[in-house]
Amino acid sequence: MKVLLTGGLGYIGSHTAVELIKAGYDVEIMDNLYNSSIEVLDKLKQITGKETKFYKVDMCNLEEMDKMFETGHFDAVIHFAGLKAVGESTKLPLLYYENNIGGTINLLKCMQKYKVNNLIFSSSACVYSDKNVSPYVEDGILGAVNPYGRTKFFIEEIIKDYANTNSNFKAVILRYFNPIGAHESGLIGENPNGIPNNLMPYITRTALGKLEILNIFGNDYNTPDGTCIRDFIHIVDLANGHLKALNKIDQLKGFNVYNLGTGHGYSVLEVVNTFNKVCADKVKFKFTERRAGDLDCYFACADKAEKELGFKTQKTLEDMCLSAYNFEKNNK
C-alpha cells in the first residue's frame, strides 16, 4: 500500500512516517514547509535507512495537488497538514478557515477524482465541548471553543458528508489528546518556531537554558495539586495509533472516530516534577495567572481504539520526559 502523508515533515507526521516505513508501507510525504524543515527528510532516512519521496506542495493550491495525485497513485492518505496554534487562530480566524478547511476540500476533490478511498484524519480533543466529564468518549458533546478547534470539527463533518455519498470511501478520524516526547534516536521531535505554545518544549528549553523560566498558568484549579490535568501521550504511541488504524482500515466501513490517548490524566506539575526527577538538567518554574480557556481536567476514554484497532499505549511519563530532553539536547 502506498500512503501519502500530508504535512508529513511535521512533529506528528514525521514520527508516523517512521512507524509506517518500519512496518513495510510505501510512504510518500507532502509538505509546504510552512512550519517544518526539509532537514527532517534526511533524518527520516537516518532512522529508517530508506529514501522517502517528497512533494513540496501546498494543499491550498488545487493545481499542484492534482498533479501530485495524477502521478502518485496513492492507496491511502493520512492528513496532518494544517495550521495548529490556538492563540494564533483567535487572531487570524479567516486564515485558519481558508487554509485548514479549504485545503482539506482540495484534498478530498483529488481523492475523489483519482479514486483514493482510504483517509485517516488528524483531529483533536479540542472538538469536545467543555460540558463533557472526563474521561471523554467519542460520542460525547462536541463544541470547539476556538477557531482552530472549529476547523477540526468542521473538517470532520465535511469528511462525514463525503463518506455518506461514496460507499467505497473509508474515513478514520483520530482525536489526539496531548502528544509529547520524541523518537528514541533524538533526531526528530517537537521543534516549534519561536516561543513554544505547548508544555514539553517549553520545559526542555527552559531546562537547557534556552528560555529563562517556565510559567505554569494557575495553581488553583480543582485538581489535587491545583494545576491543570491533561492526557499526555508519547508521540511514538500516537504514531503507532495511525499504524493500527491503517492496518485495520480494510475491515472498516464509512466514517469512524477514535480517541488516541492514554486514558489517564497527568497534572502540569506532575509532568514538571517527573522531568526534574529523571533528567540531568532541572527546569525552573513559577506559578502565574490562569490562562483564558484552560479547563481543570480532561483525559480520554481510549477503550474504543483498544477494542476495535488494537491500540494501547506502551510508554510512561518518564519515557516522554527523557525522550523530549534527549531531542532538545541534540537540537541546535
PDB file of all heavy atoms in Angstrom, residues 153-188:
ATOM      1  N   PHE A 153     -13.425  20.408  13.843  1.00  0.00           N
ATOM      2  CA  PHE A 153     -14.805  19.937  13.892  1.00  0.00           C
ATOM      3  C   PHE A 153     -15.467  20.021  12.514  1.00  0.00           C
ATOM      4  O   PHE A 153     -16.104  19.060  12.054  1.00  0.00           O
ATOM      5  CB  PHE A 153     -15.606  20.753  14.907  1.00  0.00           C
ATOM      6  CG  PHE A 153     -17.086  20.510  14.855  1.00  0.00           C
ATOM      7  CD1 PHE A 153     -17.613  19.300  15.263  1.00  0.00           C
ATOM      8  CD2 PHE A 153     -17.952  21.479  14.370  1.00  0.00           C
ATOM      9  CE1 PHE A 153     -18.980  19.055  15.204  1.00  0.00           C
ATOM     10  CE2 PHE A 153     -19.313  21.248  14.307  1.00  0.00           C
ATOM     11  CZ  PHE A 153     -19.829  20.038  14.722  1.00  0.00           C
ATOM     12  N   PHE A 154     -15.321  21.163  11.829  1.00  0.00           N
ATOM     13  CA  PHE A 154     -15.930  21.326  10.510  1.00  0.00           C
ATOM     14  C   PHE A 154     -15.367  20.313   9.516  1.00  0.00           C
ATOM     15  O   PHE A 154     -16.106  19.761   8.691  1.00  0.00           O
ATOM     16  CB  PHE A 154     -15.714  22.751   9.990  1.00  0.00           C
ATOM     17  CG  PHE A 154     -16.434  23.818  10.774  1.00  0.00           C
ATOM     18  CD1 PHE A 154     -15.922  25.111  10.859  1.00  0.00           C
ATOM     19  CD2 PHE A 154     -17.629  23.553  11.426  1.00  0.00           C
ATOM     20  CE1 PHE A 154     -16.576  26.092  11.578  1.00  0.00           C
ATOM     21  CE2 PHE A 154     -18.297  24.525  12.150  1.00  0.00           C
ATOM     22  CZ  PHE A 154     -17.765  25.810  12.223  1.00  0.00           C
ATOM     23  N   ILE A 155     -14.057  20.072   9.586  1.00  0.00           N
ATOM     24  CA  ILE A 155     -13.452  19.106   8.668  1.00  0.00           C
ATOM     25  C   ILE A 155     -14.005  17.706   8.924  1.00  0.00           C
ATOM     26  O   ILE A 155     -14.300  16.959   7.976  1.00  0.00           O
ATOM     27  CB  ILE A 155     -11.912  19.127   8.788  1.00  0.00           C
ATOM     28  CG1 ILE A 155     -11.360  20.423   8.193  1.00  0.00           C
ATOM     29  CG2 ILE A 155     -11.292  17.923   8.073  1.00  0.00           C
ATOM     30  CD1 ILE A 155      -9.893  20.679   8.504  1.00  0.00           C
ATOM     31  N   GLU A 156     -14.168  17.344  10.190  1.00  0.00           N
ATOM     32  CA  GLU A 156     -14.792  16.051  10.492  1.00  0.00           C
ATOM     33  C   GLU A 156     -16.166  15.946   9.832  1.00  0.00           C
ATOM     34  O   GLU A 156     -16.515  14.913   9.244  1.00  0.00           O
ATOM     35  CB  GLU A 156     -14.936  15.870  12.006  1.00  0.00           C
ATOM     36  CG  GLU A 156     -13.652  15.576  12.750  1.00  0.00           C
ATOM     37  CD  GLU A 156     -13.912  15.149  14.191  1.00  0.00           C
ATOM     38  OE1 GLU A 156     -15.072  14.837  14.514  1.00  0.00           O
ATOM     39  OE2 GLU A 156     -12.958  15.115  14.983  1.00  0.00           O
ATOM     40  N   GLU A 157     -16.955  17.011   9.928  1.00  0.00           N
ATOM     41  CA  GLU A 157     -18.306  16.997   9.350  1.00  0.00           C
ATOM     42  C   GLU A 157     -18.257  16.903   7.828  1.00  0.00           C
ATOM     43  O   GLU A 157     -19.069  16.204   7.202  1.00  0.00           O
ATOM     44  CB  GLU A 157     -19.061  18.257   9.781  1.00  0.00           C
ATOM     45  CG  GLU A 157     -19.364  18.312  11.273  1.00  0.00           C
ATOM     46  CD  GLU A 157     -20.288  17.191  11.709  1.00  0.00           C
ATOM     47  OE1 GLU A 157     -21.438  17.158  11.248  1.00  0.00           O
ATOM     48  OE2 GLU A 157     -19.845  16.330  12.502  1.00  0.00           O
ATOM     49  N   ILE A 158     -17.310  17.597   7.211  1.00  0.00           N
ATOM     50  CA  ILE A 158     -17.158  17.550   5.749  1.00  0.00           C
ATOM     51  C   ILE A 158     -16.779  16.137   5.308  1.00  0.00           C
ATOM     52  O   ILE A 158     -17.333  15.605   4.330  1.00  0.00           O
ATOM     53  CB  ILE A 158     -16.100  18.576   5.289  1.00  0.00           C
ATOM     54  CG1 ILE A 158     -16.633  20.001   5.477  1.00  0.00           C
ATOM     55  CG2 ILE A 158     -15.708  18.345   3.834  1.00  0.00           C
ATOM     56  CD1 ILE A 158     -15.567  21.080   5.367  1.00  0.00           C
ATOM     57  N   ILE A 159     -15.840  15.525   6.033  1.00  0.00           N
ATOM     58  CA  ILE A 159     -15.439  14.157   5.702  1.00  0.00           C
ATOM     59  C   ILE A 159     -16.617  13.202   5.874  1.00  0.00           C
ATOM     60  O   ILE A 159     -16.844  12.314   5.042  1.00  0.00           O
ATOM     61  CB  ILE A 159     -14.242  13.725   6.580  1.00  0.00           C
ATOM     62  CG1 ILE A 159     -12.997  14.529   6.209  1.00  0.00           C
ATOM     63  CG2 ILE A 159     -13.973  12.229   6.417  1.00  0.00           C
ATOM     64  CD1 ILE A 159     -11.824  14.339   7.158  1.00  0.00           C
ATOM     65  N   LYS A 160     -17.392  13.400   6.929  1.00  0.00           N
ATOM     66  CA  LYS A 160     -18.567  12.551   7.152  1.00  0.00           C
ATOM     67  C   LYS A 160     -19.568  12.695   6.004  1.00  0.00           C
ATOM     68  O   LYS A 160     -20.100  11.695   5.489  1.00  0.00           O
ATOM     69  CB  LYS A 160     -19.249  12.920   8.471  1.00  0.00           C
ATOM     70  CG  LYS A 160     -20.437  12.031   8.822  1.00  0.00           C
ATOM     71  CD  LYS A 160     -21.265  12.612   9.953  1.00  0.00           C
ATOM     72  CE  LYS A 160     -20.486  12.740  11.235  1.00  0.00           C
ATOM     73  NZ  LYS A 160     -21.336  13.259  12.356  1.00  0.00           N
ATOM     74  N   ASP A 161     -19.823  13.941   5.592  1.00  0.00           N
ATOM     75  CA  ASP A 161     -20.758  14.173   4.494  1.00  0.00           C
ATOM     76  C   ASP A 161     -20.269  13.517   3.206  1.00  0.00           C
ATOM     77  O   ASP A 161     -21.060  12.932   2.452  1.00  0.00           O
ATOM     78  CB  ASP A 161     -20.957  15.675   4.272  1.00  0.00           C
ATOM     79  CG  ASP A 161     -21.788  16.327   5.366  1.00  0.00           C
ATOM     80  OD1 ASP A 161     -22.507  15.606   6.078  1.00  0.00           O
ATOM     81  OD2 ASP A 161     -21.711  17.562   5.510  1.00  0.00           O
ATOM     82  N   TYR A 162     -18.962  13.617   2.947  1.00  0.00           N
ATOM     83  CA  TYR A 162     -18.426  12.994   1.737  1.00  0.00           C
ATOM     84  C   TYR A 162     -18.517  11.474   1.827  1.00  0.00           C
ATOM     85  O   TYR A 162     -18.892  10.798   0.851  1.00  0.00           O
ATOM     86  CB  TYR A 162     -16.975  13.433   1.497  1.00  0.00           C
ATOM     87  CG  TYR A 162     -16.345  12.735   0.326  1.00  0.00           C
ATOM     88  CD1 TYR A 162     -16.888  12.846  -0.954  1.00  0.00           C
ATOM     89  CD2 TYR A 162     -15.224  11.923   0.493  1.00  0.00           C
ATOM     90  CE1 TYR A 162     -16.337  12.179  -2.034  1.00  0.00           C
ATOM     91  CE2 TYR A 162     -14.659  11.256  -0.581  1.00  0.00           C
ATOM     92  CZ  TYR A 162     -15.220  11.380  -1.846  1.00  0.00           C
ATOM     93  OH  TYR A 162     -14.672  10.729  -2.917  1.00  0.00           O
ATOM     94  N   ALA A 163     -18.210  10.918   2.996  1.00  0.00           N
ATOM     95  CA  ALA A 163     -18.293   9.461   3.174  1.00  0.00           C
ATOM     96  C   ALA A 163     -19.713   8.953   2.923  1.00  0.00           C
ATOM     97  O   ALA A 163     -19.902   7.853   2.399  1.00  0.00           O
ATOM     98  CB  ALA A 163     -17.820   9.078   4.574  1.00  0.00           C
ATOM     99  N   ASN A 164     -20.697   9.777   3.274  1.00  0.00           N
ATOM    100  CA  ASN A 164     -22.094   9.368   3.074  1.00  0.00           C
ATOM    101  C   ASN A 164     -22.496   9.331   1.608  1.00  0.00           C
ATOM    102  O   ASN A 164     -23.519   8.736   1.265  1.00  0.00           O
ATOM    103  CB  ASN A 164     -23.028  10.318   3.836  1.00  0.00           C
ATOM    104  CG  ASN A 164     -22.972  10.111   5.335  1.00  0.00           C
ATOM    105  OD1 ASN A 164     -22.613   9.035   5.807  1.00  0.00           O
ATOM    106  ND2 ASN A 164     -23.329  11.138   6.093  1.00  0.00           N
ATOM    107  N   THR A 165     -21.711   9.974   0.742  1.00  0.00           N
ATOM    108  CA  THR A 165     -22.026   9.986  -0.690  1.00  0.00           C
ATOM    109  C   THR A 165     -21.209   8.971  -1.479  1.00  0.00           C
ATOM    110  O   THR A 165     -21.442   8.788  -2.669  1.00  0.00           O
ATOM    111  CB  THR A 165     -21.755  11.379  -1.296  1.00  0.00           C
ATOM    112  OG1 THR A 165     -20.346  11.639  -1.318  1.00  0.00           O
ATOM    113  CG2 THR A 165     -22.475  12.456  -0.505  1.00  0.00           C
ATOM    114  N   ASN A 166     -20.226   8.322  -0.821  1.00  0.00           N
ATOM    115  CA  ASN A 166     -19.321   7.419  -1.526  1.00  0.00           C
ATOM    116  C   ASN A 166     -19.219   6.125  -0.722  1.00  0.00           C
ATOM    117  O   ASN A 166     -18.528   6.074   0.296  1.00  0.00           O
ATOM    118  CB  ASN A 166     -17.946   8.080  -1.682  1.00  0.00           C
ATOM    119  CG  ASN A 166     -16.953   7.202  -2.450  1.00  0.00           C
ATOM    120  OD1 ASN A 166     -17.193   6.020  -2.679  1.00  0.00           O
ATOM    121  ND2 ASN A 166     -15.818   7.789  -2.813  1.00  0.00           N
ATOM    122  N   SER A 167     -19.893   5.096  -1.169  1.00  0.00           N
ATOM    123  CA  SER A 167     -19.948   3.844  -0.409  1.00  0.00           C
ATOM    124  C   SER A 167     -18.599   3.138  -0.335  1.00  0.00           C
ATOM    125  O   SER A 167     -18.403   2.250   0.499  1.00  0.00           O
ATOM    126  CB  SER A 167     -20.993   2.908  -1.029  1.00  0.00           C
ATOM    127  OG  SER A 167     -20.653   2.607  -2.377  1.00  0.00           O
ATOM    128  N   ASN A 168     -17.668   3.508  -1.206  1.00  0.00           N
ATOM    129  CA  ASN A 168     -16.346   2.889  -1.192  1.00  0.00           C
ATOM    130  C   ASN A 168     -15.365   3.605  -0.258  1.00  0.00           C
ATOM    131  O   ASN A 168     -14.279   3.093   0.021  1.00  0.00           O
ATOM    132  CB  ASN A 168     -15.745   2.882  -2.613  1.00  0.00           C
ATOM    133  CG  ASN A 168     -16.544   2.031  -3.576  1.00  0.00           C
ATOM    134  OD1 ASN A 168     -16.945   0.916  -3.244  1.00  0.00           O
ATOM    135  ND2 ASN A 168     -16.791   2.558  -4.768  1.00  0.00           N
ATOM    136  N   PHE A 169     -15.752   4.777   0.210  1.00  0.00           N
ATOM    137  CA  PHE A 169     -14.845   5.626   0.984  1.00  0.00           C
ATOM    138  C   PHE A 169     -14.835   5.225   2.451  1.00  0.00           C
ATOM    139  O   PHE A 169     -15.886   5.015   3.065  1.00  0.00           O
ATOM    140  CB  PHE A 169     -15.284   7.084   0.847  1.00  0.00           C
ATOM    141  CG  PHE A 169     -14.328   8.085   1.439  1.00  0.00           C
ATOM    142  CD1 PHE A 169     -13.141   8.390   0.796  1.00  0.00           C
ATOM    143  CD2 PHE A 169     -14.623   8.726   2.625  1.00  0.00           C
ATOM    144  CE1 PHE A 169     -12.263   9.319   1.327  1.00  0.00           C
ATOM    145  CE2 PHE A 169     -13.752   9.656   3.168  1.00  0.00           C
ATOM    146  CZ  PHE A 169     -12.571   9.956   2.519  1.00  0.00           C
ATOM    147  N   LYS A 170     -13.627   5.126   3.020  1.00  0.00           N
ATOM    148  CA  LYS A 170     -13.458   4.783   4.428  1.00  0.00           C
ATOM    149  C   LYS A 170     -12.637   5.881   5.097  1.00  0.00           C
ATOM    150  O   LYS A 170     -11.532   6.197   4.637  1.00  0.00           O
ATOM    151  CB  LYS A 170     -12.743   3.440   4.577  1.00  0.00           C
ATOM    152  CG  LYS A 170     -13.483   2.289   3.916  1.00  0.00           C
ATOM    153  CD  LYS A 170     -12.635   1.043   3.900  1.00  0.00           C
ATOM    154  CE  LYS A 170     -13.350  -0.081   3.174  1.00  0.00           C
ATOM    155  NZ  LYS A 170     -12.516  -1.315   3.135  1.00  0.00           N
ATOM    156  N   ALA A 171     -13.189   6.440   6.149  1.00  0.00           N
ATOM    157  CA  ALA A 171     -12.514   7.517   6.863  1.00  0.00           C
ATOM    158  C   ALA A 171     -12.327   7.138   8.328  1.00  0.00           C
ATOM    159  O   ALA A 171     -13.256   6.625   8.965  1.00  0.00           O
ATOM    160  CB  ALA A 171     -13.309   8.811   6.762  1.00  0.00           C
ATOM    161  N   VAL A 172     -11.130   7.390   8.844  1.00  0.00           N
ATOM    162  CA  VAL A 172     -10.841   7.204  10.266  1.00  0.00           C
ATOM    163  C   VAL A 172     -10.437   8.555  10.846  1.00  0.00           C
ATOM    164  O   VAL A 172      -9.463   9.161  10.397  1.00  0.00           O
ATOM    165  CB  VAL A 172      -9.716   6.182  10.495  1.00  0.00           C
ATOM    166  CG1 VAL A 172      -9.387   6.072  11.982  1.00  0.00           C
ATOM    167  CG2 VAL A 172     -10.098   4.819   9.930  1.00  0.00           C
ATOM    168  N   ILE A 173     -11.203   9.026  11.795  1.00  0.00           N
ATOM    169  CA  ILE A 173     -10.917  10.280  12.490  1.00  0.00           C
ATOM    170  C   ILE A 173     -10.209   9.941  13.797  1.00  0.00           C
ATOM    171  O   ILE A 173     -10.759   9.217  14.633  1.00  0.00           O
ATOM    172  CB  ILE A 173     -12.210  11.059  12.792  1.00  0.00           C
ATOM    173  CG1 ILE A 173     -13.061  11.242  11.530  1.00  0.00           C
ATOM    174  CG2 ILE A 173     -11.895  12.387  13.474  1.00  0.00           C
ATOM    175  CD1 ILE A 173     -12.393  12.010  10.426  1.00  0.00           C
ATOM    176  N   LEU A 174      -8.986  10.446  13.974  1.00  0.00           N
ATOM    177  CA  LEU A 174      -8.230  10.197  15.196  1.00  0.00           C
ATOM    178  C   LEU A 174      -8.164  11.492  15.996  1.00  0.00           C
ATOM    179  O   LEU A 174      -7.554  12.473  15.564  1.00  0.00           O
ATOM    180  CB  LEU A 174      -6.823   9.699  14.865  1.00  0.00           C
ATOM    181  CG  LEU A 174      -6.757   8.383  14.083  1.00  0.00           C
ATOM    182  CD1 LEU A 174      -5.310   8.007  13.791  1.00  0.00           C
ATOM    183  CD2 LEU A 174      -7.459   7.248  14.836  1.00  0.00           C
ATOM    184  N   ARG A 175      -8.821  11.486  17.146  1.00  0.00           N
ATOM    185  CA  ARG A 175      -8.833  12.680  18.004  1.00  0.00           C
ATOM    186  C   ARG A 175      -7.696  12.565  19.026  1.00  0.00           C
ATOM    187  O   ARG A 175      -7.753  11.787  19.966  1.00  0.00           O
ATOM    188  CB  ARG A 175     -10.189  12.819  18.707  1.00  0.00           C
ATOM    189  CG  ARG A 175     -11.320  13.145  17.728  1.00  0.00           C
ATOM    190  CD  ARG A 175     -12.660  13.227  18.425  1.00  0.00           C
ATOM    191  NE  ARG A 175     -13.735  13.529  17.470  1.00  0.00           N
ATOM    192  CZ  ARG A 175     -15.007  13.246  17.661  1.00  0.00           C
ATOM    193  NH1 ARG A 175     -15.397  12.657  18.792  1.00  0.00           N
ATOM    194  NH2 ARG A 175     -15.914  13.544  16.751  1.00  0.00           N
ATOM    195  N   TYR A 176      -6.664  13.379  18.796  1.00  0.00           N
ATOM    196  CA  TYR A 176      -5.494  13.358  19.667  1.00  0.00           C
ATOM    197  C   TYR A 176      -5.775  14.107  20.955  1.00  0.00           C
ATOM    198  O   TYR A 176      -6.454  15.121  20.955  1.00  0.00           O
ATOM    199  CB  TYR A 176      -4.292  14.058  19.028  1.00  0.00           C
ATOM    200  CG  TYR A 176      -3.930  13.661  17.636  1.00  0.00           C
ATOM    201  CD1 TYR A 176      -3.220  14.538  16.828  1.00  0.00           C
ATOM    202  CD2 TYR A 176      -4.250  12.413  17.103  1.00  0.00           C
ATOM    203  CE1 TYR A 176      -2.848  14.202  15.544  1.00  0.00           C
ATOM    204  CE2 TYR A 176      -3.887  12.069  15.821  1.00  0.00           C
ATOM    205  CZ  TYR A 176      -3.181  12.965  15.035  1.00  0.00           C
ATOM    206  OH  TYR A 176      -2.818  12.635  13.765  1.00  0.00           O
ATOM    207  N   PHE A 177      -5.107  13.640  22.021  1.00  0.00           N
ATOM    208  CA  PHE A 177      -5.139  14.411  23.249  1.00  0.00           C
ATOM    209  C   PHE A 177      -3.849  15.241  23.324  1.00  0.00           C
ATOM    210  O   PHE A 177      -3.708  16.189  22.568  1.00  0.00           O
ATOM    211  CB  PHE A 177      -5.456  13.500  24.436  1.00  0.00           C
ATOM    212  CG  PHE A 177      -6.950  13.271  24.534  1.00  0.00           C
ATOM    213  CD1 PHE A 177      -7.627  12.521  23.560  1.00  0.00           C
ATOM    214  CD2 PHE A 177      -7.696  13.874  25.517  1.00  0.00           C
ATOM    215  CE1 PHE A 177      -9.005  12.364  23.595  1.00  0.00           C
ATOM    216  CE2 PHE A 177      -9.082  13.723  25.567  1.00  0.00           C
ATOM    217  CZ  PHE A 177      -9.737  12.976  24.604  1.00  0.00           C
ATOM    218  N   ASN A 178      -2.858  14.960  24.102  1.00  0.00           N
ATOM    219  CA  ASN A 178      -1.702  15.866  24.235  1.00  0.00           C
ATOM    220  C   ASN A 178      -0.404  15.129  23.948  1.00  0.00           C
ATOM    221  O   ASN A 178       0.246  14.614  24.877  1.00  0.00           O
ATOM    222  CB  ASN A 178      -1.662  16.476  25.644  1.00  0.00           C
ATOM    223  CG  ASN A 178      -2.863  17.352  25.927  1.00  0.00           C
ATOM    224  OD1 ASN A 178      -3.958  16.844  26.215  1.00  0.00           O
ATOM    225  ND2 ASN A 178      -2.699  18.647  25.840  1.00  0.00           N
ATOM    226  N   PRO A 179       0.016  15.062  22.687  1.00  0.00           N
ATOM    227  CA  PRO A 179       1.259  14.350  22.362  1.00  0.00           C
ATOM    228  C   PRO A 179       2.496  15.098  22.855  1.00  0.00           C
ATOM    229  O   PRO A 179       2.615  16.309  22.684  1.00  0.00           O
ATOM    230  CB  PRO A 179       1.236  14.278  20.831  1.00  0.00           C
ATOM    231  CG  PRO A 179       0.343  15.387  20.393  1.00  0.00           C
ATOM    232  CD  PRO A 179      -0.672  15.547  21.475  1.00  0.00           C
ATOM    233  N   ILE A 180       3.402  14.366  23.491  1.00  0.00           N
ATOM    234  CA  ILE A 180       4.686  14.919  23.911  1.00  0.00           C
ATOM    235  C   ILE A 180       5.759  13.851  23.698  1.00  0.00           C
ATOM    236  O   ILE A 180       5.462  12.708  23.378  1.00  0.00           O
ATOM    237  CB  ILE A 180       4.692  15.392  25.386  1.00  0.00           C
ATOM    238  CG1 ILE A 180       4.375  14.251  26.355  1.00  0.00           C
ATOM    239  CG2 ILE A 180       3.708  16.531  25.583  1.00  0.00           C
ATOM    240  CD1 ILE A 180       4.489  14.657  27.821  1.00  0.00           C
ATOM    241  N   GLY A 181       7.019  14.234  23.893  1.00  0.00           N
ATOM    242  CA  GLY A 181       8.114  13.290  23.733  1.00  0.00           C
ATOM    243  C   GLY A 181       8.718  13.346  22.344  1.00  0.00           C
ATOM    244  O   GLY A 181       8.409  14.230  21.539  1.00  0.00           O
ATOM    245  N   ALA A 182       9.602  12.388  22.063  1.00  0.00           N
ATOM    246  CA  ALA A 182      10.339  12.383  20.798  1.00  0.00           C
ATOM    247  C   ALA A 182      10.791  10.962  20.482  1.00  0.00           C
ATOM    248  O   ALA A 182      10.727  10.064  21.323  1.00  0.00           O
ATOM    249  CB  ALA A 182      11.549  13.317  20.899  1.00  0.00           C
ATOM    250  N   HIS A 183      11.281  10.783  19.265  1.00  0.00           N
ATOM    251  CA  HIS A 183      11.798   9.482  18.847  1.00  0.00           C
ATOM    252  C   HIS A 183      13.048   9.140  19.650  1.00  0.00           C
ATOM    253  O   HIS A 183      13.827  10.027  20.024  1.00  0.00           O
ATOM    254  CB  HIS A 183      12.118   9.500  17.351  1.00  0.00           C
ATOM    255  CG  HIS A 183      12.439   8.149  16.797  1.00  0.00           C
ATOM    256  ND1 HIS A 183      13.732   7.704  16.654  1.00  0.00           N
ATOM    257  CD2 HIS A 183      11.625   7.134  16.374  1.00  0.00           C
ATOM    258  CE1 HIS A 183      13.710   6.473  16.148  1.00  0.00           C
ATOM    259  NE2 HIS A 183      12.453   6.113  15.978  1.00  0.00           N
ATOM    260  N   GLU A 184      13.262   7.857  19.905  1.00  0.00           N
ATOM    261  CA  GLU A 184      14.377   7.436  20.747  1.00  0.00           C
ATOM    262  C   GLU A 184      15.741   7.802  20.167  1.00  0.00           C
ATOM    263  O   GLU A 184      16.733   7.903  20.920  1.00  0.00           O
ATOM    264  CB  GLU A 184      14.314   5.919  20.974  1.00  0.00           C
ATOM    265  CG  GLU A 184      14.439   5.095  19.706  1.00  0.00           C
ATOM    266  CD  GLU A 184      14.290   3.596  19.948  1.00  0.00           C
ATOM    267  OE1 GLU A 184      14.021   3.221  21.110  1.00  0.00           O
ATOM    268  OE2 GLU A 184      14.448   2.826  18.985  1.00  0.00           O
ATOM    269  N   SER A 185      15.815   8.018  18.868  1.00  0.00           N
ATOM    270  CA  SER A 185      17.083   8.406  18.232  1.00  0.00           C
ATOM    271  C   SER A 185      17.528   9.810  18.615  1.00  0.00           C
ATOM    272  O   SER A 185      18.707  10.152  18.476  1.00  0.00           O
ATOM    273  CB  SER A 185      16.940   8.326  16.708  1.00  0.00           C
ATOM    274  OG  SER A 185      16.007   9.309  16.258  1.00  0.00           O
ATOM    275  N   GLY A 186      16.578  10.645  19.063  1.00  0.00           N
ATOM    276  CA  GLY A 186      16.878  12.046  19.328  1.00  0.00           C
ATOM    277  C   GLY A 186      16.983  12.888  18.077  1.00  0.00           C
ATOM    278  O   GLY A 186      17.321  14.078  18.146  1.00  0.00           O
ATOM    279  N   LEU A 187      16.663  12.304  16.912  1.00  0.00           N
ATOM    280  CA  LEU A 187      16.802  13.029  15.645  1.00  0.00           C
ATOM    281  C   LEU A 187      15.556  13.840  15.298  1.00  0.00           C
ATOM    282  O   LEU A 187      15.654  14.884  14.646  1.00  0.00           O
ATOM    283  CB  LEU A 187      17.111  12.045  14.509  1.00  0.00           C
ATOM    284  CG  LEU A 187      18.495  11.396  14.546  1.00  0.00           C
ATOM    285  CD1 LEU A 187      18.598  10.301  13.485  1.00  0.00           C
ATOM    286  CD2 LEU A 187      19.589  12.438  14.333  1.00  0.00           C
ATOM    287  N   ILE A 188      14.392  13.359  15.679  1.00  0.00           N
ATOM    288  CA  ILE A 188      13.154  14.087  15.411  1.00  0.00           C
ATOM    289  C   ILE A 188      12.377  14.255  16.705  1.00  0.00           C
ATOM    290  O   ILE A 188      12.439  13.415  17.603  1.00  0.00           O
ATOM    291  CB  ILE A 188      12.276  13.401  14.333  1.00  0.00           C
ATOM    292  CG1 ILE A 188      11.946  11.951  14.725  1.00  0.00           C
ATOM    293  CG2 ILE A 188      12.944  13.452  12.971  1.00  0.00           C
ATOM    294  CD1 ILE A 188      10.956  11.268  13.778  1.00  0.00           C
TER     295      ILE A 188
END
